[in-house]
Amino acid sequence: MNSVKIEKEEFQQRIEKIQHSLERHGLDAMIVYGDEYRKENLRYVANFWPIFERGACFIPRKGAPILAGAPEGEKYAREMTWLEDVRNIKEFACVSVPEEIEYPLAQFSSLSDIIREVSGGGTKVGLVGYWDIPGPIYNRMKDAVGGGELSDASAILAELRLIKSEAEIACLREAGRQACLGYEKLIETCIPGTTEVQAAGAAEGVARSEGAEDINFTVFGSGKRCDTVIGRATHKVIRDGDMIMAAMAVQYEGYVATVEYPFVAGKESDTQRDFLRVLFEAAEVQYGYLRNGCPAGEMVKAVSEVFKKYDMQQYDVYPPLHGIGLAEAESPYPDKDADYLLKSGMCVNSDISLFGHPHGSNRIEEGFVIRDNGPESLTPAIRERIRKGV
């Protein structure tokens, strides 16, 4: 049984930091919205991940937060969250049907009453999840603030989530371990005659059996389907000599590690081998830049230079690195013009890709923690394969 997790004390510290930020920004309260798909911010403050329903954490400038959800998930919410005050509001009930469902045994609180309670009569409320929340619910929240102001406060949480604690890093390391074991099974299963779905299922099963709470996605393409950039596994049969483009995002305690290693099923050709070596070389060059104090844009340029050396820059479709944490992709997400510095405690995922080249399309994804003297690998099995492939 895995014992790595975020303890209650760390959640309490997060709330204290948020409350200091509310004071600094002149906000009376914060609403952190989440649902089954946009779960990361709600998980960060309340350790709650809704199923079917919606949820929000209402954080006052002073005092204890309130978690609001819906009746079907109330017991589940109480089981999962560290917060003691858990309530139901009708706006957060089942999201997939247009009918209004009766819950005769449920006790409901009013959305407007909760907002008035946490704002303490104040008029300035920050909202995290502005781009995720449905319009009708946003409008009801805005109405509940009355003549006050409901503003986008996402930047407050984005800043707090940028540098990971050692407990968060431990969760990502465990997710990475599970992902690596699953990916080894994927490589083993990708033999001529197997379908994409069978290979993906074998990998996901291993990760689940190792303790993964979710597989956020498995991107899969074989042969010509590698050109899709992203795509799901199909019933296509893998053939001898098919390039395999497969990425698996594994979630543990909310934290997501993604792995992807480009390879060929069966016998690889000389041109395929040469193509893959360019990706491996770019990954090794990037590795040398993943340290505290390195300008993020310089790392992006260094990867691009590898592709230019082999006249492949036209197949480089997006920046080669993004942050990881409670979301599979989060800040930082630098491009060549990024002038900020990589900092110790940032957790990142490489995303080194070439798509549309005549000899193949693929990418590399591996996780790292930025440290003072260089990167710590969160997915060492993938790191080892890449080193051997250069």
Side-chain angles (χ1 to χ4, degrees):
M1 180 67 69
N2 300 304
S3 58
V4 179
K5 64 177 183 178
I6 308 298
E7 300 290 347
K8 179 179 179 179
E9 291 73 21
E10 185 159 330
F11 285 108
Q12 290 173 325
Q13 291 167 8
R14 293 174 181 179
I15 296 298
E16 290 172 4
K17 290 178 181 178
I18 290 169
Q19 290 175 326
H20 288 315
S21 292
L22 295 179
E23 186 81 34
R24 193 166 61 251
H25 288 85
L27 294 172
D28 299 298
M30 175 186 282
I31 304 170
V32 180
Y33 171 83
D35 57 34
E36 185 172 2
Y37 305 104
R38 295 264 53 93
K39 60 191 183 299
E40 50 270 19
N41 288 315
L42 187 57
R43 192 83 188 257
Y44 184 79
V45 296
N47 196 32
F48 179 51
W49 177 19
I51 301 175
F52 305 130
E53 302 166 330
R54 311 181 196 275
C57 185
F58 298 80
I59 305 173
R61 189 188 293 185
K62 294 182 180 179
I66 298 168
L67 175 63
E72 274 192 89
E74 181 180 357
K75 288 186 178 179
Y76 160 61
R78 293 182 184 278
E79 175 186 71
M80 190 173 188
T81 188
W82 66 277
L83 294 169
E84 296 181 1
D85 194 343
V86 178
R87 307 184 193 180
N88 297 316
I89 57 175
K90 289 186 177 180
E91 286 85 353
F92 288 170
C94 185
V95 302
S96 58
V97 297
E99 294 87 356
E100 185 170 335
I101 302 171
E102 295 288 337
Y103 293 99
L105 300 181
Q107 290 185 332
F108 286 101
S109 297
S110 161
L111 173 61
S112 57
D113 286 348
I114 293 176
I115 291 177
R116 281 194 294 268
E117 182 178 342
V118 295
S119 62
T123 59
K124 293 187 176 182
V125 178
L127 173 64
V128 177
Y130 177 84
W131 291 102
D132 308 324
I133 193 167
I137 295 179
Y138 172 79
N139 290 335
R140 291 192 186 188
M141 287 183 176
K142 193 171 182 180
D143 290 343
V145 177
E149 178 184 346
L150 183 62
S151 60
D152 184 3
S154 301
I156 293 175
L157 251 63
E159 182 181 359
L160 290 177
R161 288 173 52 196
L162 190 60
I163 304 297
K164 271 58 178 183
S165 70
E166 288 302 319
E168 290 180 288
I169 291 169
C171 288
L172 282 166
R173 191 180 293 116
E174 176 59 17
R177 183 191 72 84
Q178 296 165 1
C180 284
L181 289 172
Y183 210 88
E184 291 298 316
K185 188 65 175 179
L186 184 144
I187 293 173
E188 176 188 325
T189 309
C190 280
I191 57 175
T194 302
T195 66
E196 294 176 346
V197 168
Q198 287 172 325
E204 292 177 11
V206 168
R208 277 286 201 175
S209 69
E210 287 293 324
E213 67 179 11
D214 189 50
I215 309 298
N216 282 192
F217 59 75
T218 300
V219 168
F220 206 111
S222 62
K224 183 61 180 173
R225 289 196 70 243
C226 288
D227 288 346
T228 59
V229 184
I230 60 172
R232 302 186 190 279
T234 70
H235 293 286
K236 175 189 174 297
V237 176
I238 297 168
R239 305 296 185 187
D240 186 44
D242 273 356
M243 186 80 78
I244 303 296
M245 185 264 313
M248 186 167 66
V250 174
Q251 179 176 308
Y252 172 80
E253 288 293 314
Y255 290 83
V256 185
T258 304
V259 291
E260 182 165 13
Y261 174 78
F263 66 99
V264 175
K267 182 175 176 56
E268 65 180 7
S269 67
D270 291 341
T271 55
Q272 287 174 326
R273 187 179 302 111
D274 291 342
F275 170 82
L276 293 177
R277 281 176 177 165
V278 175
L279 287 174
F280 298 150
E281 182 177 333
E284 288 301 283
V285 167
Q286 182 189 69
Y287 185 86
Y289 284 80
L290 301 181
R291 63 183 184 279
N292 182 55
C294 177
E298 293 304 310
M299 174 274 300
V300 178
K301 292 174 186 175
V303 172
S304 296
E305 285 301 317
V306 175
F307 297 149
K308 287 180 183 178
K309 182 171 69 171
Y310 296 99
D311 195 25
M312 291 184 176
Q313 65 272 22
Q314 65 269 39
Y315 308 109
D316 180 12
V317 296
Y318 51 74
L321 180 135
H322 58 74
I324 54 172
L326 288 164
E328 191 277 333
E330 57 184 52
S331 295
Y333 207 147
D335 60 18
K336 62 182 176 57
D337 298 319
D339 58 1
Y340 55 82
L341 304 180
L342 298 177
K343 296 181 180 180
S344 290
M346 285 182 174
C347 292
V348 298
N349 223 69
S350 68
D351 204 339
I352 296 172
S353 63
L354 292 169
F355 283 97
H357 190 276
H359 300 313
S361 295
N362 227 311
R363 71 165 71 79
I364 290 171
E365 295 191 74
E366 51 178 330
F368 300 101
V369 185
I370 304 296
R371 300 292 193 185
D372 287 347
N373 299 319
E376 172 196 339
S377 175
L378 295 168
T379 53
I382 299 297
R383 179 96 290 265
E384 184 63 23
R385 281 185 173 274
I386 288 167
R387 281 184 170 153
K388 287 180 178 178
V390 175

